[in-house]
Structure formats: structure tokens, C-alpha cells
Amino acid sequence: MAIVFSDRREAGRRLASKLARYAGRDDVTVLALPRGGVPVGFEVARGLRAPLDVFIVRKLGVPGYEEMAMGAIATGGVRVLNDEIVDGLALPPHVIDAVTTKEEKELLRRERLYRGGRPPLQVKARTIILVDDGLATGSTMLAAIRALRDGSPARIVAAVPVGSPDICRAMRADADEVVCATTPQPLIGVGRWYEDFSQTSDDEVRALLARSGLGSASSDEDFADDAAAGMLRKRIARLSGGAKDYDGLLEAIGEARFVLLGEASHGTHEFYEERARITRRLIEEKGFTAVTIEADWPDTYRVNRYVQGASGDLDAEEALSDFRRFPTWMWRNRVVVEFVEWLRGHNEAVDGSGPKAGFYGLDLYALHGAMKAVLRYLEKIDPAAAEIARRRYACFDHFGPDPQAYGFIAGNEVDKSCQNAVVAQLVEMLKRRAGAARRGDGAVEDELFDAQQNARLVRNAEAYYRAMFLAPESTWNLRDRHMAETFEALASHLGQRLPFPKIVVWAHNSHLGDARATDRSRFGEVNLGQLIREAHERETFLIGFTTYHGTVTAASSWGGPAERKAVRPALARSYETLLHAVSADRFQLDLRNDGEALPRRLLERAIGVIYRPETERASHYFHADLAAQFDALLHFDETRAVEPLERSSEWDAGELAETYPFGV
């Protein structure tokens, strides 16, 4: 029966036992393939009492499907291609060359990062044990072996904890010896044979190399959360649920015009409830006049009309009726209904004595809804222009209702894209101005702005869906840049009536916490919080939310029903576990003044609309510097699932506690 390893370190210890005949020899060097091979190689080197170094190899991923290796490169200018994948996908040479150029830059960066100015260990006349965390296609290991041959080693041993039996056999043609600790058939994927197959970071690689440099095998450093928790305990402001809970937070916000309120999941009652409490105070006490949310513009603008008293909807639940696409519970839940009704009541009480507060969306998924909104507007004020817009948008008709189908076909250049058509329509809409007789009429100007924003959404959504398939630019970046563009356009529009409009943003921590303080920045990702912070600096205030355990409303797969799921206690070496150790049910922490009490880099949990506890580490954690990510933090140690308006049988059933955590 095939072995399933708990993690790479355990896999390395098991692999070392298979290589015991090399233990204690003075001609052996262990070279690990970063990054995943380094924890394995560290344990192998420790078990064999051999020196450890890295040998840099970069996988050449198929554009758009980067996990699929079409080849690899290694130090020394070696490139190995997987002919089966290259020929099977008909990948043109210029695509392969472009990926190679990009990966060569990363290879050189890692050489400098891992070694600094230290030269690599000598391989000439030595037995080299080349270690990775697994063999799937073998292209990475093959590139390393061929590059190593140039250094004239006495012997090359390719060693992995798990590998495809066919690839392990084929590798013997290039390596002098191949050791695969386990060879399951079918392999499916290397990660299938690890309970924790989370990504190894550059910092972890450097730390392991540093620890191996003295030839010692020091034990793992304990996570010193007790001292840090003790420091934090003296600095937190406990939350009681009372009216004065957020006095200190509002004082810290001061004159900031843009307050970004996050969430660590899209389905936690406390995150929605406390955002609403803070937002009500910002509107009443600090004059905030807009709430923007991680939702599509046309769906949310219907709610805006309701809270402004300009729609025929009878109540908030009806005003939220356009939120019918997955995940409906994000905005069709009890807390949002209560807040929308409060906002309507607040605006009715204002009654001309001051500006009303609006409710707006920032996201870009509603391609077809936005097109319909543009056409409805033009049909009312300029039928001829509506006919031109209809002909432009008709480009999408033969792709069907699913924008992803359009993205796949246009992104792969199977058919002509609609890019030029949507750009032309946006340009035409942005040129429009309210008629002279109606200029200054706020309602008229708002309707024009609404139509312009829908045209902007169509343009950006077209690019987003087209980029989902084989595109060089991250769709994450396209989405967050669209949200930032929408935010700036709204601020400019509101600024025509108010000199310094104040805006609240509701979105996930992953969108609002400054991306520069997370490991995602290494991959070139940006987010809304970073972009607003860069543009407005001290006028922004970013607030993160965390929880240790509880329940959450989430699906098991995209498009699946809403379920009430148990949230596992947070992992060790995470901010959530450190905050749990503070031993306070709920509290606030000012990160600008007290952030130095936090470690600079720990894991942070992010649950979106899907929660997969069975792959908790890989699916829901990333490394971050919390104090640099946010200005303030709100921690709720135990939280409960937000209640959807439409409760599914799966949600009512709740989590199956008797089978937790295995679900069998």
C-alpha cells in the first residue's frame, strides 16, 4: 500500500532511511531542488550527516495552466522539454521561449536569494544525491541531472519520496541510481500523497540552508507564542458589544476619508455584523456618504436606488433580488438586509438636511447584466445610440450566456474577441454629458454615471474573462484593478457635490489588506487595499478581521449549495493561533501603535466562498506581515455562520460533528 506522508519533513526522514548506505561518507553531497525539495533534502542530509545545498531548476509551465510542466531549465543554460506535452498542445516556439526568458530571470534571482555571495558546493568527483519532493513528469529532475553532468560528479542519485513508477524507471537512463520511496499507481499528482503539501517559501528555504550550514541538526524552533501573547494581552481593547466598543477605533481613524473593512471569510456573522456597526457610526458621526462592497455594480445599484428612496422595491429583501448568482448568501443574508433597511431609514431622516449615503458595487462579474443596464439607459434618452450599442454588444450573442465560454473561445483566438466593440462603447459613454437643461440635476447625473460605470464594467469584464485562458496577466490583478478604477470613479463623481467625499469599503481581507505585506506580492499580485493606499496614503485606514474557530457559511465547490461548516481551529505558526493565545473572546488591536508586538511573518487564514478543511493549509493559508497589511485588527475568537435568506437543507443540517474532522 502506498505511503501518505504527513508533510515534506516526514517524507525526507523516510527517504533518508532508504539511502542509509550513504550515511557518514565524506564524498556525499545532498542537493535539493527548491523550493519543495528543500525540506525533504534537509532531513535527508541530516540523516546521512552530509552537507546540503540547493540546485536551482525552474519548471516551464504551460501558460494558463502553470501546474502542467512543458519542460524545465537549470543553472548552466540547460533546457529540457517534455515533447509529449509540447506536441500534444501544439505549443509554438515563441511561447516556449517567452516562458523560458521569464523563468531564467527567476532562476538568477533565487541563486542570489538563497546563496547570497556564497559559491555552490563542489560536485566534481563527489556522489550527488539529488532530492525533490516527488516525480510526476520528471522534467525538473531530468534538467537537474543533465546540468549536473557538466560538473563531472562521480555518481548522481535521484531520490524522491514519491513518484510515478513509469517516470522512476525512465529516470534510470539518465541518473546512476534512482530511489523512489513509494511508487503509487496511478500517481494522480504528487500532492495527493502528502497530508500537508503547502507551498514552501523562500524564507523557509533560506532558514533550512542556514541551519544545515554548520552541519548540525538542531531541533525545530518552538513557536514562541506565549511571550508574544502576553505582550498583546496588555495592548488590546476588549469588545463587549456595547455602544462604546469602537470609540477608540473611530479616534484612530481620525480624518481618514477611506475606511476599508475586511473579513476573513465570506460567510461569518460577526464579520458582517461588526462591519455594519462600525459603518453606521462612520456615517452618523464622521459624515461618510458611500458604502462600496465586493459585489457587481448593476446588482448593487438597485439597492442604492432603494436606500435613496428612488425605487419601487417594497423592502430591502426585494431590493437585493438581483443577487441570484452564486454565492447568493454573500449579500442576501440577514445582516445585510438589516443594514440596508437602516441605511434607508437614515436617508429618510436626513431629508434634505445633508447628503444621503449610497450603496455601490465594485466587482466585474456581471457582464450581461451591465450590458442590459447600458441599453436600458440609452433606450430612454437616445434610441439611436441604443441601437449602435446593441450592435456592438451583439458580438457576445453567439457565445451564449456563460461569459467563461466567451473567454475560452476568444482567449484561445478560436474566434474574434469583442474587445474593440466594448472599448468603443465605453469611450462613447464617457463622452456623454447631461443635457444643458438638466445639468446640475443630481438624479440625472447619477443615472448617467451609473450607465458609464456599467459600460466600464463590460469593458473590464470582457478583458477578465478573455484573460482566464492562456493570458499573461493575472486575472486577480485585472479584477482588483477594476475595483480600484470603480472606486476612484465613484470618489470623483461624489466629489462633484462634496469637496472631500468619505467612502467605506466592504471586501475580503485578501482584497483589502495591503498585498505588499503578503507572499502573493512575490508573484506580482496587487490588490484593492494596496492600490487605494498607494493613491491616497494617509487618507486610508485598513481594518482586518480574524477568527480562530467556529462555523462558516460556505460551499464545498464552486456553484454548490450553501453549507454551515465547522471551521477548524487555526494552524500553529499562524496569527490566528497567536491571537487565540491572548485568551480574550473578542478584541481590537491598533497595529500602527502596537503592531511591533506581533511577529513579522506568520501564516494567515483566508476562507472565501468555498471552504475545504480537508486541504486546510494548502487551500486557506498564506504568509503575511499583519502589522504592515492593516492599520487595525478585530479578532473574534469563536464565530458563527452568517444566515442566508434562502437556507438550504445542507445549511440547516449544519456540520456533521460526529464525523469531524474526517467527514466519513
Side-chain angles (χ1 to χ4, degrees):
M1 183 177 178
I3 300 168
V4 176
F5 306 106
S6 61
D7 57 20
R8 291 181 177 89
R9 298 286 289 276
E10 192 227 344
R13 291 190 287 272
R14 295 218 185 188
L15 183 59
S17 69
K18 302 285 186 180
L19 296 162
R21 60 190 175 280
Y22 293 104
R25 288 173 43 172
D26 59 7
D27 66 332
V28 172
T29 296
V30 176
L31 296 183
L33 303 182
R35 291 180 291 213
V38 176
V40 181
F42 176 82
E43 294 295 341
V44 170
R46 182 165 68 169
L48 302 184
R49 300 185 299 282
L52 172 69
D53 201 353
V54 290
F55 191 74
I56 316 290
V57 178
R58 291 294 297 167
K59 178 175 68 178
L60 302 178
V62 176
Y65 303 89
E66 279 73 15
E67 288 304 309
M68 183 184 297
M70 62 179 172
I73 58 172
T75 301
V78 175
R79 183 173 81 175
V80 178
L81 297 179
N82 185 321
D83 293 334
E84 183 178 353
I85 290 178
V86 170
D87 294 341
L89 296 178
L91 294 168
H94 73 272
V95 170
I96 300 172
D97 291 342
V99 174
T100 300
T101 300
K102 175 185 174 184
E103 295 302 336
E104 283 174 341
K105 293 178 181 177
E106 178 63 12
L107 188 148
L108 292 173
R109 183 191 74 83
R110 291 196 182 188
E111 289 274 6
R112 292 191 294 268
L113 178 66
Y114 298 153
R115 290 203 183 93
R118 179 178 63 81
L121 295 180
Q122 289 294 320
V123 300
K124 186 175 182 179
R126 295 186 64 80
T127 295
I128 303 300
I129 299 179
L130 196 57
V131 177
D132 203 357
D133 55 12
L135 279 181
T137 66
S139 57
T140 303
M141 181 67 78
L142 186 58
I145 293 169
R146 292 180 179 176
L148 273 174
R149 289 292 182 200
D150 291 342
S152 303
R155 184 175 179 80
I156 297 177
V157 180
V160 295
V162 60
S164 158
D166 294 337
I167 299 299
C168 287
R169 282 192 297 271
M171 197 62 61
R172 292 172 187 156
D174 290 88
D176 299 298
E177 182 183 352
V178 177
V179 177
C180 296
T182 184
T183 54
Q185 182 69 279
L187 177 69
I188 302 175
V190 170
R192 164 69 176 78
W193 306 100
Y194 288 83
E195 292 177 7
D196 180 358
F197 196 61
S198 53
Q199 190 175 62
T200 304
S201 70
D202 286 335
D203 287 345
E204 290 172 281
V205 171
R206 296 173 69 185
L208 289 171
L209 289 174
R211 287 173 57 187
S212 68
L214 298 176
S216 63
S218 59
S219 61
D220 289 343
E221 296 178 3
D222 293 330
F223 181 47
D225 57 351
D226 290 340
M231 291 177 62
L232 290 170
R233 202 171 291 123
K234 300 173 183 176
R235 304 181 185 214
I236 63 170
R238 294 174 185 264
L239 302 174
S240 65
K244 295 184 178 297
D245 265 352
Y246 295 116
D247 286 0
L249 182 63
L250 265 67
E251 182 179 350
I253 289 170
E255 297 304 311
R257 295 171 50 212
F258 307 125
V259 175
L260 283 57
L261 294 164
E263 59 183 2
S265 87
H266 282 318
T268 298
H269 173 86
E270 286 78 4
F271 299 158
Y272 282 89
E273 181 68 31
E274 300 308 307
R275 281 194 309 200
R277 287 183 65 200
I278 295 166
T279 302
R280 286 195 289 268
R281 292 194 62 180
L282 290 173
I283 291 171
E284 291 180 325
E285 300 174 35
K286 286 186 172 289
F288 279 68
T289 56
V291 180
T292 60
I293 67 173
E294 186 185 332
D296 291 326
W297 180 271
D299 302 342
T300 314
Y301 205 78
R302 177 174 175 178
V303 182
N304 181 57
R305 290 191 178 100
Y306 174 75
V307 301
Q308 302 272 3
S311 83
D313 289 321
L314 297 177
D315 55 24
E317 190 168 333
E318 185 177 352
L320 289 160
S321 293
D322 285 350
F323 290 95
R324 293 295 182 182
R325 295 184 305 280
F326 176 86
T328 57
W329 71 85
M330 259 185 77
W331 303 113
R332 285 185 61 78
N333 63 60
R334 295 296 172 191
V335 180
V336 172
V337 166
E338 291 171 5
F339 177 78
V340 170
E341 291 292 13
W342 176 88
L343 193 56
R344 165 95 174 211
H346 166 81
N347 285 340
E348 288 175 344
V350 168
D351 193 28
S353 61
K356 294 182 177 181
F359 196 78
Y360 308 94
L362 298 174
D363 225 329
L364 53 48
Y365 291 123
L367 174 66
H368 292 285
M371 287 192 288
K372 290 176 182 177
V374 172
L375 294 174
R376 280 197 303 268
Y377 172 80
L378 291 175
E379 284 165 355
K380 286 191 300 183
I381 60 101
D382 191 341
E387 185 56 35
I388 294 172
R390 187 174 289 106
R391 286 198 298 271
R392 287 171 174 156
Y393 288 159
C395 171
F396 292 95
D397 290 350
H398 66 286
F399 294 103
D402 184 358
Q404 291 193 35
Y406 163 77
F408 179 79
I409 294 170
N412 285 282
E413 299 182 349
V414 176
D415 202 345
K416 186 178 179 181
S417 80
C418 300
Q419 180 179 12
N420 292 339
V422 299
V423 170
Q425 187 58 39
L426 174 60
V427 170
E428 194 278 332
M429 293 300 296
L430 293 178
K431 289 179 179 177
R432 287 189 165 270
R433 296 290 182 270
R438 308 177 73 186
R439 198 166 293 137
D441 184 329
V444 171
E445 291 176 345
D446 284 347
E447 291 304 308
L448 171 59
F449 178 68
D450 171 45
Q452 291 171 335
Q453 281 307 115
N454 279 303
R456 189 189 309 276
L457 188 155
V458 173
R459 189 273 308 271
N460 290 342
E462 183 278 333
Y464 174 86
Y465 287 113
R466 182 161 41 82
M468 289 181 74
F469 301 92
L470 302 177
E473 183 171 3
S474 164
T475 50
W476 174 277
N477 284 2
L478 287 171
R479 184 178 172 212
D480 275 55
R481 288 189 188 281
H482 166 80
M483 289 197 279
E485 186 180 346
T486 301
F487 176 89
E488 296 296 345
L490 178 64
S492 177
H493 175 68
L494 297 176
Q496 295 174 13
R497 300 173 203 169
L498 299 169
F500 300 104
K502 296 183 174 182
I503 302 174
V504 181
V505 183
W506 292 2
H508 198 280
N509 284 350
S510 57
H511 291 293
L512 298 189
D514 194 325
R516 292 171 295 184
T518 74
D519 59 7
R520 302 309 301 169
S521 64
R522 298 201 316 269
F523 304 99
E525 286 189 359
V526 298
N527 69 4
L528 179 60
Q530 172 187 339
L531 295 171
I532 295 178
R533 219 183 217 182
E534 287 176 336
H536 300 284
E537 298 180 346
R538 295 183 180 179
E539 292 187 305
T540 66
F541 197 91
L542 280 55
I543 304 172
F545 288 66
T546 56
T547 183
Y548 177 71
H549 69 144
T551 59
V552 67
T553 298
S556 294
S557 60
W558 187 262
E563 303 173 49
R564 181 168 47 186
K565 293 177 158 237
V567 176
R568 290 184 174 187
L571 296 178
R573 300 175 184 257
S574 68
Y575 282 114
E576 289 82 2
T577 294
L578 171 59
L579 297 168
H580 172 68
V582 172
S583 300
D585 291 340
R586 45 179 63 195
F587 57 85
Q588 167 192 325
L589 183 64
D590 185 341
L591 297 177
R592 297 176 308 170
N593 296 320
D594 300 316
E596 69 273 9
L598 288 169
R600 289 275 73 85
R601 186 176 183 276
L602 293 176
L603 291 170
E604 183 180 329
R605 178 154 59 186
I607 299 173
V609 297
I610 295 169
Y611 180 45
R612 294 188 175 116
E614 66 276 9
T615 56
E616 177 92 3
R617 172 63 178 87
S619 299
H620 300 292
Y621 282 87
F622 59 96
H623 281 99
D625 178 352
L626 199 65
Q629 200 181 358
F630 298 103
D631 296 304
L633 178 76
L634 301 177
H635 179 74
F636 303 89
D637 207 57
E638 182 173 4
T639 51
R640 62 186 173 94
V642 73
E643 183 179 349
L645 292 183
E646 292 80 24
R647 289 168 51 161
S648 65
S649 58
E650 291 87 351
W651 196 91
D652 286 331
E655 72 278 7
L656 298 175
E658 68 274 17
T659 66
Y660 176 80
F662 302 104
V664 295

